[in-house]
Amino acid sequence: MSLSMYDASVPVFVRVLRNLDQVLAKGEAHARDKGADPDTLLQSRLIFDMLPLVRQVQIATDMATRGASRLAGVEPRSVEDNETTFEQLHARIAGAIAHLEGFTPAQFEGSETRAVSFKTRAGELKFDGQGYLLTYVLPNLYFHATTAYNLLRRNGVGIGKTDFLGG
Amino acid sequence: MSLSMYDASVPVFVRVLRNLDQVLAKGEAHARDKGADPDTLLQSRLIFDMLPLVRQVQIATDMATRGASRLAGVEPRSVEDNETTFEQLHARIAGAIAHLEGFTPAQFEGSETRAVSFKTRAGELKFDGQGYLLTYVLPNLYFHATTAYNLLRRNGVGIGKTDFLGG
Protein backbone atom coordinates (compact mmCIF):
# COMPACT_ATOMS: atom_id res chain seq x y z
CA MET A 1 0.00 0.00 0.00
CA SER A 2 2.89 2.32 -0.39
CA LEU A 3 5.25 4.20 -2.53
CA SER A 4 8.81 5.01 -1.52
CA MET A 5 9.71 8.65 -0.97
CA TYR A 6 12.57 8.12 -3.40
CA ASP A 7 10.29 6.79 -6.16
CA ALA A 8 7.86 9.66 -5.60
CA SER A 9 10.61 12.25 -5.98
CA VAL A 10 13.95 11.62 -7.75
CA PRO A 11 12.78 9.73 -10.88
CA VAL A 12 9.79 12.09 -11.16
CA PHE A 13 12.04 15.14 -10.99
CA VAL A 14 14.40 13.68 -13.59
CA ARG A 15 11.47 12.97 -15.89
CA VAL A 16 10.11 16.52 -15.60
CA LEU A 17 13.55 17.99 -16.34
CA ARG A 18 14.17 15.70 -19.32
CA ASN A 19 10.81 16.66 -20.82
CA LEU A 20 11.51 20.34 -20.15
CA ASP A 21 14.84 19.95 -21.94
CA GLN A 22 13.07 18.52 -25.00
CA VAL A 23 10.46 21.28 -24.97
CA LEU A 24 13.25 23.88 -24.83
CA ALA A 25 15.03 22.22 -27.74
CA LYS A 26 11.86 22.55 -29.80
CA GLY A 27 11.63 26.22 -28.82
CA GLU A 28 15.19 26.80 -29.93
CA ALA A 29 14.61 25.01 -33.26
CA HIS A 30 11.44 27.03 -33.82
CA ALA A 31 13.30 30.32 -33.36
CA ARG A 32 16.04 29.20 -35.79
CA ASP A 33 13.38 28.21 -38.34
CA LYS A 34 12.01 31.74 -38.06
CA GLY A 35 15.48 33.19 -38.62
CA ALA A 36 15.48 34.68 -35.12
CA ASP A 37 18.18 34.57 -32.46
CA PRO A 38 16.86 31.76 -30.22
CA ASP A 39 18.35 33.26 -27.10
CA THR A 40 15.96 36.21 -27.24
CA LEU A 41 13.20 33.67 -26.48
CA LEU A 42 14.76 33.11 -23.06
CA GLN A 43 13.73 36.62 -22.06
CA SER A 44 10.12 36.25 -23.17
CA ARG A 45 7.32 36.30 -20.61
CA LEU A 46 3.65 35.33 -20.61
CA ILE A 47 2.90 38.82 -19.31
CA PHE A 48 5.30 41.61 -18.38
CA ASP A 49 5.18 40.99 -14.62
CA MET A 50 5.79 37.24 -14.75
CA LEU A 51 9.29 35.78 -14.77
CA PRO A 52 10.94 35.17 -18.16
CA LEU A 53 11.56 31.72 -19.63
CA VAL A 54 15.15 31.56 -18.39
CA ARG A 55 14.01 32.04 -14.78
CA GLN A 56 11.24 29.44 -15.14
CA VAL A 57 13.87 26.89 -16.12
CA GLN A 58 16.36 27.95 -13.44
CA ILE A 59 13.69 27.69 -10.74
CA ALA A 60 12.51 24.29 -12.00
CA THR A 61 16.04 22.86 -11.77
CA ASP A 62 16.56 24.36 -8.30
CA MET A 63 13.23 23.05 -7.07
CA ALA A 64 14.23 19.54 -8.13
CA THR A 65 17.80 19.53 -6.78
CA ARG A 66 16.97 21.36 -3.55
CA GLY A 67 13.93 19.17 -3.07
CA ALA A 68 15.98 15.98 -3.35
CA SER A 69 18.73 17.37 -1.10
CA ARG A 70 16.42 18.45 1.68
CA LEU A 71 14.54 15.16 1.61
CA ALA A 72 17.87 13.31 1.78
CA GLY A 73 18.96 15.53 4.67
CA VAL A 74 21.94 17.07 2.88
CA GLU A 75 22.71 20.72 2.28
CA PRO A 76 21.36 21.88 -1.11
CA ARG A 77 24.07 22.87 -3.55
CA SER A 78 24.14 26.42 -4.74
CA VAL A 79 24.39 27.31 -8.42
CA GLU A 80 24.57 30.73 -10.03
CA ASP A 81 21.66 32.01 -12.10
CA ASN A 82 23.75 33.29 -14.98
CA GLU A 83 22.52 31.51 -18.10
CA THR A 84 21.85 33.63 -21.17
CA THR A 85 21.76 30.96 -23.91
CA PHE A 86 19.90 27.75 -24.66
CA GLU A 87 23.21 25.92 -24.61
CA GLN A 88 23.83 27.07 -21.05
CA LEU A 89 20.31 26.15 -19.98
CA HIS A 90 20.67 22.66 -21.44
CA ALA A 91 23.90 22.33 -19.47
CA ARG A 92 22.15 23.48 -16.31
CA ILE A 93 19.44 20.88 -16.78
CA ALA A 94 22.01 18.16 -17.52
CA GLY A 95 23.90 19.14 -14.36
CA ALA A 96 20.73 18.99 -12.29
CA ILE A 97 19.86 15.55 -13.68
CA ALA A 98 23.38 14.25 -12.96
CA HIS A 99 23.11 15.64 -9.42
CA LEU A 100 19.72 13.97 -8.92
CA GLU A 101 21.05 10.67 -10.22
CA GLY A 102 23.71 10.77 -7.50
CA PHE A 103 21.10 10.25 -4.77
CA THR A 104 20.32 6.74 -3.54
CA PRO A 105 16.99 5.35 -2.31
CA ALA A 106 18.59 4.65 1.08
CA GLN A 107 19.07 8.39 1.63
CA PHE A 108 15.30 8.83 1.47
CA GLU A 109 14.40 6.24 4.09
CA GLY A 110 12.34 7.92 6.76
CA SER A 111 12.29 11.18 4.81
CA GLU A 112 8.49 11.39 5.01
CA THR A 113 8.82 12.51 8.63
CA ARG A 114 12.11 14.43 8.28
CA ALA A 115 11.82 18.05 9.42
CA VAL A 116 12.46 20.40 6.51
CA SER A 117 12.78 24.14 7.01
CA PHE A 118 14.29 26.89 4.93
CA LYS A 119 14.05 30.60 4.42
CA THR A 120 12.28 32.21 1.50
CA ARG A 121 11.52 35.83 0.71
CA ALA A 122 8.15 35.23 2.38
CA GLY A 123 9.76 34.03 5.62
CA GLU A 124 10.74 30.63 6.99
CA LEU A 125 8.82 27.61 5.74
CA LYS A 126 8.53 24.42 7.80
CA PHE A 127 7.31 21.02 6.66
CA ASP A 128 7.70 17.35 7.30
CA GLY A 129 9.25 15.58 4.31
CA GLN A 130 5.94 14.28 3.00
CA GLY A 131 4.30 17.71 3.09
CA TYR A 132 7.39 19.29 1.58
CA LEU A 133 7.33 16.89 -1.38
CA LEU A 134 3.57 16.83 -1.98
CA THR A 135 2.54 20.42 -1.24
CA TYR A 136 5.66 22.38 -2.14
CA VAL A 137 8.24 20.71 -4.38
CA LEU A 138 5.98 18.89 -6.84
CA PRO A 139 3.45 21.75 -7.27
CA ASN A 140 6.28 24.26 -7.75
CA LEU A 141 8.22 22.03 -10.12
CA TYR A 142 5.17 21.37 -12.28
CA PHE A 143 4.16 25.03 -12.10
CA HIS A 144 7.46 26.25 -13.56
CA ALA A 145 7.77 23.43 -16.11
CA THR A 146 4.21 24.09 -17.32
CA THR A 147 4.77 27.84 -17.42
CA ALA A 148 7.91 27.33 -19.55
CA TYR A 149 5.83 25.11 -21.85
CA ASN A 150 2.97 27.63 -22.03
CA LEU A 151 5.35 30.46 -22.74
CA LEU A 152 6.87 28.61 -25.69
CA ARG A 153 3.47 27.39 -26.84
CA ARG A 154 2.20 30.96 -26.88
CA ASN A 155 5.18 31.92 -28.99
CA GLY A 156 4.00 29.49 -31.63
CA VAL A 157 6.36 26.60 -30.88
CA GLY A 158 4.93 23.34 -32.22
CA ILE A 159 4.71 21.37 -28.98
CA GLY A 160 1.85 19.35 -27.57
CA LYS A 161 1.00 17.86 -24.22
CA THR A 162 2.80 14.63 -25.11
CA ASP A 163 6.03 16.66 -25.18
CA PHE A 164 5.26 17.85 -21.66
CA LEU A 165 4.35 14.39 -20.40
CA GLY A 166 7.22 12.59 -22.10
CA GLY A 167 7.28 9.05 -23.47
CA MET B 1 10.46 5.04 4.05
CA SER B 2 7.10 5.30 2.46
CA LEU B 3 4.09 7.25 1.58
CA SER B 4 0.65 5.76 1.12
CA MET B 5 -0.86 5.80 -2.36
CA TYR B 6 -3.92 7.45 -0.81
CA ASP B 7 -1.88 10.28 0.76
CA ALA B 8 -0.01 10.82 -2.50
CA SER B 9 -3.24 11.17 -4.44
CA VAL B 10 -6.63 12.07 -2.90
CA PRO B 11 -5.61 14.91 -0.51
CA VAL B 12 -3.24 16.27 -3.19
CA PHE B 13 -6.01 16.27 -5.80
CA VAL B 14 -8.40 18.00 -3.39
CA ARG B 15 -5.80 20.64 -2.63
CA VAL B 16 -5.15 21.37 -6.31
CA LEU B 17 -8.88 21.70 -7.00
CA ARG B 18 -9.50 23.95 -3.98
CA ASN B 19 -6.69 26.25 -5.07
CA LEU B 20 -7.98 26.25 -8.64
CA ASP B 21 -11.41 27.21 -7.31
CA GLN B 22 -9.90 30.20 -5.49
CA VAL B 23 -7.94 31.26 -8.55
CA LEU B 24 -11.13 31.10 -10.64
CA ALA B 25 -12.99 33.19 -8.06
CA LYS B 26 -10.30 35.87 -8.38
CA GLY B 27 -10.65 35.75 -12.16
CA GLU B 28 -14.40 36.21 -11.90
CA ALA B 29 -14.02 39.14 -9.47
CA HIS B 30 -11.44 40.74 -11.76
CA ALA B 31 -13.81 40.60 -14.73
CA ARG B 32 -16.62 42.14 -12.66
CA ASP B 33 -14.27 44.91 -11.51
CA LYS B 34 -13.61 45.67 -15.16
CA GLY B 35 -17.34 45.80 -15.88
CA ALA B 36 -17.08 42.76 -18.15
CA ASP B 37 -19.23 39.65 -18.26
CA PRO B 38 -17.04 37.18 -16.32
CA ASP B 39 -18.28 34.20 -18.27
CA THR B 40 -16.58 35.43 -21.44
CA LEU B 41 -13.30 34.74 -19.62
CA LEU B 42 -14.14 31.03 -19.66
CA GLN B 43 -13.69 31.02 -23.43
CA SER B 44 -10.30 32.72 -23.39
CA ARG B 45 -7.19 30.83 -24.51
CA LEU B 46 -3.45 31.35 -24.15
CA ILE B 47 -3.21 30.99 -27.92
CA PHE B 48 -5.94 30.19 -30.44
CA ASP B 49 -5.11 26.50 -30.75
CA MET B 50 -4.97 25.71 -27.04
CA LEU B 51 -8.07 24.73 -25.07
CA PRO B 52 -10.08 27.53 -23.43
CA LEU B 53 -10.22 28.10 -19.66
CA VAL B 54 -13.46 26.17 -19.23
CA ARG B 55 -11.87 23.04 -20.75
CA GLN B 56 -8.73 23.38 -18.62
CA VAL B 57 -10.93 23.26 -15.52
CA GLN B 58 -13.12 20.42 -16.79
CA ILE B 59 -10.07 18.32 -17.61
CA ALA B 60 -8.45 19.06 -14.23
CA THR B 61 -11.53 17.83 -12.35
CA ASP B 62 -11.80 14.73 -14.54
CA MET B 63 -8.10 13.94 -14.11
CA ALA B 64 -8.54 14.02 -10.33
CA THR B 65 -11.77 12.01 -10.09
CA ARG B 66 -10.83 9.47 -12.76
CA GLY B 67 -7.37 9.17 -11.24
CA ALA B 68 -8.77 8.35 -7.80
CA SER B 69 -11.36 5.94 -9.24
CA ARG B 70 -8.89 3.96 -11.32
CA LEU B 71 -6.42 3.72 -8.43
CA ALA B 72 -9.25 2.53 -6.18
CA GLY B 73 -10.28 0.00 -8.82
CA VAL B 74 -13.75 1.41 -9.41
CA GLU B 75 -15.32 2.60 -12.64
CA PRO B 76 -14.78 6.37 -13.15
CA ARG B 77 -18.00 8.35 -13.08
CA SER B 78 -18.97 10.22 -16.19
CA VAL B 79 -19.96 13.89 -16.10
CA GLU B 80 -21.08 16.09 -18.98
CA ASP B 81 -18.86 18.93 -20.14
CA ASN B 82 -21.59 21.53 -20.37
CA GLU B 83 -20.53 24.39 -18.10
CA THR B 84 -20.80 27.91 -19.50
CA THR B 85 -20.62 29.99 -16.29
CA PHE B 86 -18.28 30.41 -13.34
CA GLU B 87 -21.11 29.32 -11.07
CA GLN B 88 -21.40 26.02 -12.92
CA LEU B 89 -17.62 25.51 -12.85
CA HIS B 90 -17.50 26.12 -9.10
CA ALA B 91 -20.26 23.52 -8.74
CA ARG B 92 -18.29 21.07 -10.89
CA ILE B 93 -15.22 21.53 -8.71
CA ALA B 94 -17.28 21.17 -5.52
CA GLY B 95 -18.81 17.97 -6.90
CA ALA B 96 -15.37 16.59 -7.78
CA ILE B 97 -14.06 17.38 -4.28
CA ALA B 98 -17.09 15.72 -2.66
CA HIS B 99 -16.56 12.67 -4.88
CA LEU B 100 -12.86 12.52 -3.94
CA GLU B 101 -13.68 12.80 -0.26
CA GLY B 102 -15.85 9.70 -0.57
CA PHE B 103 -12.79 7.49 -1.17
CA THR B 104 -11.14 5.74 1.78
CA PRO B 105 -7.46 4.96 2.28
CA ALA B 106 -8.32 1.25 2.39
CA GLN B 107 -9.45 1.40 -1.25
CA PHE B 108 -5.91 2.41 -2.24
CA GLU B 109 -4.12 -0.47 -0.53
CA GLY B 110 -2.03 -2.25 -3.10
CA SER B 111 -2.95 0.28 -5.76
CA GLU B 112 0.70 0.90 -6.62
CA THR B 113 0.73 -2.41 -8.52
CA ARG B 114 -2.88 -2.34 -9.73
CA ALA B 115 -3.15 -2.60 -13.53
CA VAL B 116 -4.69 0.53 -14.97
CA SER B 117 -5.66 0.77 -18.62
CA PHE B 118 -7.99 3.04 -20.50
CA LYS B 119 -8.58 4.34 -23.97
CA THR B 120 -7.66 7.82 -25.10
CA ARG B 121 -7.80 9.49 -28.48
CA ALA B 122 -4.15 8.45 -28.85
CA GLY B 123 -4.94 4.77 -28.22
CA GLU B 124 -4.98 2.55 -25.15
CA LEU B 125 -2.72 3.51 -22.27
CA LYS B 126 -1.47 0.92 -19.75
CA PHE B 127 0.19 1.56 -16.41
CA ASP B 128 0.64 0.10 -12.98
CA GLY B 129 -0.97 2.29 -10.33
CA GLN B 130 2.28 3.93 -9.30
CA GLY B 131 3.19 4.88 -12.86
CA TYR B 132 -0.34 6.05 -13.53
CA LEU B 133 -0.28 8.38 -10.53
CA LEU B 134 3.28 9.69 -10.93
CA THR B 135 3.67 9.93 -14.69
CA TYR B 136 0.13 10.58 -15.86
CA VAL B 137 -2.39 11.87 -13.31
CA LEU B 138 -0.24 14.29 -11.34
CA PRO B 139 1.57 15.81 -14.37
CA ASN B 140 -1.74 16.23 -16.21
CA LEU B 141 -3.56 17.65 -13.20
CA TYR B 142 -0.81 20.19 -12.54
CA PHE B 143 -0.54 20.97 -16.24
CA HIS B 144 -4.20 21.96 -16.53
CA ALA B 145 -4.35 23.76 -13.16
CA THR B 146 -1.23 25.77 -14.08
CA THR B 147 -2.53 26.53 -17.55
CA ALA B 148 -5.81 27.83 -16.05
CA TYR B 149 -3.71 29.99 -13.70
CA ASN B 150 -1.47 31.27 -16.53
CA LEU B 151 -4.47 32.05 -18.70
CA LEU B 152 -6.04 34.19 -15.97
CA ARG B 153 -2.69 35.73 -15.07
CA ARG B 154 -2.17 36.76 -18.67
CA ASN B 155 -5.59 38.39 -18.62
CA GLY B 156 -4.38 40.64 -15.82
CA VAL B 157 -5.97 38.84 -12.87
CA GLY B 158 -4.14 39.74 -9.65
CA ILE B 159 -3.02 36.27 -8.59
CA GLY B 160 0.38 35.06 -7.44
CA LYS B 161 2.03 31.71 -6.96
CA THR B 162 0.79 31.55 -3.37
CA ASP B 163 -2.76 31.39 -4.78
CA PHE B 164 -1.69 28.44 -6.88
CA LEU B 165 0.08 26.67 -4.02
CA GLY B 166 -2.60 27.37 -1.41
CA GLY B 167 -2.19 27.88 2.32
Side-chain angles (χ1 to χ4, degrees):
Chain A
M1 71 167 268
S2 65
L3 192 63
S4 80
M5 285 290 289
Y6 178 85
D7 285 343
S9 55
V10 174
V12 173
F13 301 167
V14 168
R15 185 180 174 96
V16 172
L17 295 182
R18 279 198 211 289
N19 295 340
L20 177 58
D21 198 53
Q22 294 294 316
V23 162
L24 285 174
K26 291 199 176 183
E28 188 180 0
H30 176 79
R32 284 195 206 289
D33 286 348
K34 296 278 181 192
D37 173 2
D39 298 333
T40 59
L41 251 185
L42 297 182
Q43 300 308 322
S44 71
R45 302 168 191 258
L46 270 179
I47 185 170
F48 75 100
D49 58 349
M50 279 185 84
L51 295 171
L53 178 58
V54 61
R55 288 291 297 136
Q56 303 294 343
V57 177
Q58 288 166 342
I59 296 172
T61 59
D62 287 349
M63 202 52 70
T65 57
R66 290 177 188 168
S69 298
R70 291 189 180 117
L71 288 173
V74 303
E75 189 63 28
R77 63 175 197 166
S78 186
V79 295
E80 272 192 82
D81 293 327
N82 56 7
E83 292 84 3
T84 57
T85 67
F86 272 94
E87 188 181 354
Q88 291 166 343
L89 269 193
H90 287 303
R92 183 183 181 114
I93 293 173
I97 290 172
H99 187 65
L100 288 168
E101 288 176 338
F103 288 95
T104 64
Q107 291 178 283
F108 288 72
E109 283 181 30
S111 63
E112 67 276 16
T113 57
R114 182 168 281 146
V116 172
S117 66
F118 54 97
K119 290 196 173 68
T120 69
R121 282 176 308 174
E124 190 172 20
L125 297 180
K126 294 185 181 192
F127 301 93
D128 61 13
Q130 178 173 320
Y132 176 58
L133 175 62
L134 297 178
T135 71
Y136 189 82
V137 181
L138 287 172
N140 266 294
L141 178 59
Y142 280 120
F143 178 90
H144 291 288
T146 304
T147 301
Y149 171 98
N150 281 335
L151 218 157
L152 290 169
R153 187 70 171 71
R154 226 196 91 79
N155 274 286
V157 178
I159 45 180
K161 206 169 64 181
T162 50
D163 294 297
F164 178 82
L165 294 175
Chain B
M1 72 165 268
S2 66
L3 192 63
S4 79
M5 285 290 288
Y6 178 86
D7 285 344
S9 56
V10 174
V12 173
F13 301 167
V14 169
R15 186 181 173 95
V16 172
L17 295 182
R18 279 197 209 290
N19 296 340
L20 177 58
D21 199 54
Q22 294 294 316
V23 161
L24 286 174
K26 290 199 177 185
E28 188 180 0
H30 175 80
R32 285 196 207 288
D33 286 349
K34 296 277 181 193
D37 173 3
D39 298 333
T40 58
L41 252 185
L42 297 182
Q43 300 308 324
S44 71
R45 303 167 191 258
L46 270 179
I47 186 168
F48 76 99
D49 59 349
M50 279 185 82
L51 294 172
L53 178 56
V54 61
R55 287 293 297 138
Q56 303 294 341
V57 177
Q58 288 166 342
I59 296 171
T61 60
D62 287 349
M63 202 51 71
T65 57
R66 291 177 188 168
S69 298
R70 291 188 180 118
L71 289 173
V74 302
E75 189 63 27
R77 64 176 195 163
S78 185
V79 295
E80 272 192 83
D81 293 328
N82 56 7
E83 292 84 3
T84 58
T85 67
F86 272 94
E87 189 181 353
Q88 290 166 344
L89 269 193
H90 288 302
R92 184 183 179 114
I93 293 173
I97 290 173
H99 186 66
L100 289 168
E101 288 176 338
F103 289 95
T104 64
Q107 290 178 282
F108 289 71
E109 283 181 29
S111 63
E112 67 276 15
T113 56
R114 182 168 281 147
V116 172
S117 66
F118 53 97
K119 290 195 172 69
T120 70
R121 280 177 308 175
E124 188 170 22
L125 298 180
K126 293 185 182 193
F127 301 92
D128 61 13
Q130 177 173 320
Y132 176 58
L133 175 62
L134 297 178
T135 70
Y136 188 83
V137 181
L138 287 172
N140 266 294
L141 178 59
Y142 281 119
F143 178 90
H144 292 286
T146 304
T147 301
Y149 171 98
N150 281 335
L151 218 158
L152 290 169
R153 186 70 171 72
R154 226 196 91 80
N155 275 285
V157 178
I159 45 180
K161 206 171 63 181
T162 52
D163 294 296
F164 177 82
L165 294 176

